[in-house]
Amino acid sequence: MTKQTAPAGSDQGGLPYALAAYGLWGFVPLFFKLLESVPSVEVLAQRIVWSLPFCFMVMAFRRQIGDYFAALRDWRVLRLLVVSAVLIALNWLVYIHSIFSGHVLAASLGYYLNPLVNVMLGMIFLGERLSKLQMVAVAIAAVGVAILLGGALDTLWISLTLAFSFSLYGLIRKIVPVGSLPGLGIETTVLLPVAVAASAYYIWIGDGRGFGAGNEVSWLLAAGGVVTAVPLLLFATAARRMSYAALGFVQFLAPTVQFLLSLFVFHEPLKPVQLLCFLLIWISIAVFSFDMWRKMRTERMIEIA
């Protein structure tokens, strides 16, 4: 299996896809707030069920059905995608729970931490080297997380689960030799049996909150498939075209939007210890972003020369 890596500071055409993916993810809480009366597990199950038909329609349009079945028959590819499917399902479930329970701030922090986890994983598994400034950025963020251990431990698990599950998911999608759309189709296929069983259970108990309870809720749950698949496809494309460290630091867009939504739309309280943690994370992002800008500028000057 060949690992496709990119040098730090190079986007290789992936930047537009990354910006689109993270921009959409930033506003996703607004959509899921419309479904907060539905159990989190049912929302997750419906997301999976409705994502697969959408994936197949797009694969048929792009003539990638053959790639889907070829990857499905390749055990080396399939076993990696089984792991990535479990990771993304865990990420979705915790994220939905954070929105429904009024912890969008904790989710935002998790996705602020995600770039720093990306950096560490890129260094460990992909051989991407960190500069001194990048190491400083990671250290500053680590201090911020340590502060939360003393003042916001009740929601820290949300932040850490979201950060690590999505970072590991992105790492697998970067190295697995399959296109973004066929890969997502296989992940959804792997999760489908459990999702169908869970969906059938909630329809059977008929609590009047989920699918079938009303046209509005049913259509919103079905639309969750598109809301799920589109940014993931964009992200998977970006992950294969950018360095993993660079990809992570484009991600600040989504948690920034989520952070603003949590304060000004959902009116969540911001604890002093959370604010201090956010400040440290923002400083670490500024340090890392400055270092990456400096590297890209140097590379351009070398190319011009």
Side-chain angles (χ1 to χ4, degrees), residues 36-192:
E36 61 183 347
S37 63
V38 183
S40 300
V41 174
E42 183 177 7
V43 174
L44 172 61
Q46 292 289 338
R47 286 183 77 173
I48 295 167
V49 168
W50 291 103
S51 293
L52 190 57
F54 177 79
C55 286
F56 269 104
M57 284 191 294
V58 179
M59 280 192 290
F61 176 77
R62 296 173 61 176
R63 299 180 180 179
Q64 291 183 304
I65 298 292
D67 296 337
Y68 166 86
F69 284 109
L72 199 61
R73 291 191 296 266
D74 188 332
W75 171 242
R76 293 178 301 172
V77 170
L78 183 59
R79 65 184 179 184
L80 285 172
L81 290 177
V82 168
V83 176
S84 65
V86 173
L87 286 169
I88 199 60
L90 174 63
N91 184 272
W92 288 344
L93 183 60
V94 173
Y95 184 60
I96 293 168
H97 169 76
S98 70
I99 295 173
F100 288 2
S101 60
H103 294 308
V104 178
L105 270 176
S108 172
L109 176 59
Y111 289 118
Y112 271 125
L113 290 173
N114 183 231
L116 302 161
V117 179
N118 286 354
V119 168
M120 292 186 291
L121 294 179
M123 180 178 62
I124 295 170
F125 295 105
L126 302 178
E128 295 179 354
R129 297 180 180 179
L130 297 187
S131 68
K132 292 181 179 179
L133 275 180
Q134 291 171 344
M135 294 178 69
V136 169
V138 173
I140 293 172
V143 172
V145 174
I147 290 173
L148 280 187
L149 289 173
L153 190 59
D154 57 329
T155 59
L156 183 58
W157 71 271
I158 293 176
S159 303
L160 293 180
T161 301
L162 291 175
F164 277 91
S165 62
F166 197 71
S167 290
L168 289 168
Y169 171 78
L171 175 64
I172 292 174
R173 290 309 309 269
K174 182 173 180 64
I175 65 175
V176 67
V178 64
S180 55
L181 182 56
L184 178 59
I186 292 174
E187 288 169 343
T188 310
T189 301
V190 168
L191 297 170
L192 188 63

